[in-house]
Amino acid sequence: MNDRDGSSQAQPMQPIKAVDAGVLSIAYVESGPADGPAVILLHGYPYDIHSYVDVAPRLAAQGCRVIVPYLRGYGPTRFLDPFTPRSGQQAAIGADLIALMDALAIPRAVFAGYDWGGRAACVGAALWPERCTGLVSVNGYPIQDIARAVEPAPVPREFAFWYQWYFQTERGRAGLAANRAEIARVLWQQWSPNWRFDDATFARAAAAFDNPDHVDVVINSYRHRYGSAAGDPRYDELERRLAALPVITVPTITLDGDSDGVIPATDGTAHAAKFSNRIAHRVIRAGHNLPQEEPAAFAEAVMEVLR
């Protein structure tokens, strides 16, 4: 189904399973044959696993074992220790991906995602290429260059990043705590101007923001990337490696949405040097939530990196 012209009528993704993985109990849904090639689909902010409600069954029908986890700070995923820092830094979400694979005894998988999930996928592919069969990344190479984070972007991009500046402030933290769904709805509308989602589709995803750690993880994510908040020291070495902006060597397809309201579509050349084995770069008729808006195109890219 193409959600660009309507909303998926699929039931909520279920059953929800959980597994202890690293510092988390990670909640996830699984579909497809247990012995099929593994694909891990990773959602962004402010979304949830239902970005893949129409992608997962397409892949499962083609024989893939499909895992769709809730990221830290979303849905039923929980920290195992109350004293673990509620970090949202890029190294943490990449490490969570590998911890999930270890917990599920998955040696290798395709990593596919957008927004935070695209960053987690790229971090995993860059630092653990032996675990990655192939990569589908929306918006190119999203690993953060934190050392240069204070350099200004073009003004239209700065305007679109209003929420990131808001979250640098204590007013923004309080606003997210009080209005997490309202902020998300504004971002959905801004980032996917041609996607006509209905109230039920939004509510299904917004339930994931009721996680008790959501605000802390989101605020830390947006502050850490600009050097205004500390990360969890357990990830210091991974962050050091990411600071070198490592080249991704696994087979990769990059996708952009032609109406993405936060990250404008490109021809892919700016990030080309960061992928030594890129199969293709494609611009898809979609906004920021590309897998939910154009599930067929996203699933096709996953199958292509598997071949």
Side-chain angles (χ1 to χ4, degrees), residues 1-2 53-63 66 295-297 299-300 303:
M1 179 176 293
N2 182 341
V53 68
D54 295 315
V55 174
R58 281 175 163 83
L59 297 175
Q62 296 185 74
V66 185
E300 180 182 347
M303 293 307 301

Side-chain angles (χ1 to χ4, degrees), residues 37 63 141-142:
Y141 182 88

Side-chain angles (χ1 to χ4, degrees), residues 101-169:
M101 294 177 68
D102 290 344
L104 296 178
I106 296 173
R108 301 182 76 217
V110 170
F111 304 162
Y114 71 100
D115 198 87
W116 287 26
R119 182 167 298 111
C122 284
V123 169
L127 299 186
W128 294 276
E130 71 281 0
R131 306 298 297 274
C132 184
T133 309
L135 171 69
V136 176
S137 174
V138 178
N139 301 130
Y141 182 88
I143 293 175
Q144 295 156 351
D145 187 356
I146 295 173
R148 300 178 61 190
V150 298
E151 296 180 9
V155 171
R157 182 76 63 85
E158 300 281 48
F159 177 77
F161 285 169
W162 67 268
Y163 65 102
Q164 300 191 17
W165 319 139
Y166 183 50
F167 292 160
Q168 302 303 309
T169 70

Side-chain angles (χ1 to χ4, degrees), residues 85-89 219-221 223-225 227-233 236:
R86 270 41 176 174
S87 173
Q89 69 194 97
I219 293 298
N220 181 266
S221 173
R223 293 186 182 183
H224 182 272
R225 68 183 64 189
S228 60
D232 183 336
D236 284 352

